[in-house]
Amino acid sequence: MRKPAIEAAEVSAAEAGDLALVCRALACDPDAFRAIIKTHNQRLYRIARGVVRNDAEAEDVVQEAYMRAFANLGAFRGEASLSTWLSRIVINEALGRLRKRKRIVAMPENPEAQIIRFPLNPSDDPERTMAQRQILGLVERATDSLPDVYRTVFVARVIEGLSIEETADLLGVRPETVKTRLHRARTLVRKALDDEIGPVLLDAFPFAGRRCERLTQAVMRRLGFEP
């Protein structure tokens, strides 16, 4: 593999860091490969998961994308960040999986799939933890229900926090297109949440659970109806 050419023009510290890391990887430095993987794993997984909507397949997508990227590492020129370059490869691999899936047969979705992993403190009130899990599941289902063209923009822009320009660069579309798709995606997610939020909150809020029963018993005791 050949090393990427580094332009004489001044580059940012991040760009220089990317190029240095790539050069080390091209020299077969295992620590460089490990650093690349650990640095980008979370973002690449969540982007892949946002496209294919299946945990196990998203892991396969990321693994395959790494293999493709490392096999073509000499093509990296630093014109985009290493993160963006890797993300494009993941997007292409994930979209390829979708096209193949549609040609063959729709794969069953994993009801336990997770997109955004919110840390849950086990010492919290059990009812609060339950409410958090229910809300998490609601957000995941709303995101999964988006059409592919909107979901990829939503995942990149909202979940990963990329800028409009970064998202446009990643997906190869104009910034105006990102804005239009993002607006539509948010509208669809909001509608999905509106459709479900009432039933979910009836079960999630504390007064619908054991706290409601405790309060009822306390008031009944104070009224003299219970010992």
Side-chain angles (χ1 to χ4, degrees):
M1 291 187 287
R2 51 194 174 85
K3 294 186 179 181
I6 301 177
E7 300 294 335
E10 183 178 355
V11 296
S12 69
E15 291 170 336
D18 283 346
L19 288 168
L21 195 58
V22 168
C23 285
R24 288 173 51 202
L26 288 169
C28 298
D29 180 350
D31 290 337
F33 286 105
R34 191 174 295 109
I36 291 173
I37 294 170
K38 287 188 175 181
T39 298
H40 300 96
N41 259 347
Q42 183 174 9
R43 167 169 288 185
L44 298 183
Y45 170 79
R46 297 207 304 190
I47 289 174
R49 174 59 181 78
V51 175
V52 299
R53 295 182 288 180
N54 180 282
D55 285 6
E57 190 173 11
E59 291 184 18
D60 288 343
V61 166
V62 174
Q63 288 184 34
E64 185 62 28
Y66 275 133
M67 297 307 296
R68 291 179 184 273
F70 292 151
N72 295 279
L73 207 52
F76 179 74
R77 289 289 182 272
E79 296 168 354
S81 70
L82 184 58
S83 176
T84 297
W85 188 73
L86 290 170
S87 296
R88 285 175 183 160
I89 297 173
V90 166
I91 285 281
N92 289 335
E93 176 67 23
L95 291 177
R97 297 286 184 105
L98 280 188
R99 289 190 290 268
K100 182 177 179 181
R101 181 194 302 178
K102 290 175 181 177
R103 285 197 302 267
I104 302 175
V105 61
M107 294 180 63
E109 294 183 11
N110 181 0
E112 300 299 324
Q114 295 182 350
I115 297 176
I116 318 169
R117 303 182 186 276
F118 294 110
L120 299 175
N121 188 344
S123 65
D124 283 347
D125 186 310
E127 289 169 346
R128 181 184 299 276
T129 300
M130 179 67 71
Q132 289 175 324
R133 291 189 183 281
Q134 288 176 310
I135 292 171
L136 169 58
L138 189 152
V139 172
E140 290 168 351
R141 290 194 298 275
T143 304
D144 276 354
S145 70
L146 291 172
D148 297 343
V149 68
Y150 300 129
R151 192 172 63 256
T152 52
V153 169
F154 187 81
V155 170
R157 181 75 180 93
V158 177
I159 296 179
E160 279 306 312
L162 301 184
S163 68
I164 293 290
E165 292 72 21
E166 288 172 328
T167 303
D169 187 40
L170 172 64
L171 300 178
V173 298
R174 296 182 303 156
E176 292 76 15
T177 302
V178 170
K179 293 177 183 178
T180 300
R181 292 180 182 178
L182 180 61
H183 176 75
R184 179 58 176 161
R186 283 174 167 160
T187 299
L188 292 173
V189 167
R190 188 177 298 114
K191 183 181 184 304
L193 294 177
D194 286 344
D195 290 343
E196 292 194 51
I197 195 70
V200 168
L201 291 184
L202 285 176
D203 292 331
F205 274 101
F207 278 107
R210 288 175 296 187
R211 188 165 298 172
C212 177
E213 182 62 26
R214 289 199 300 270
L215 177 63
T216 301
Q217 292 177 354
V219 173
M220 293 297 286
R221 281 197 300 270
R222 293 186 67 180
L223 290 174
F225 291 110
E226 292 186 8

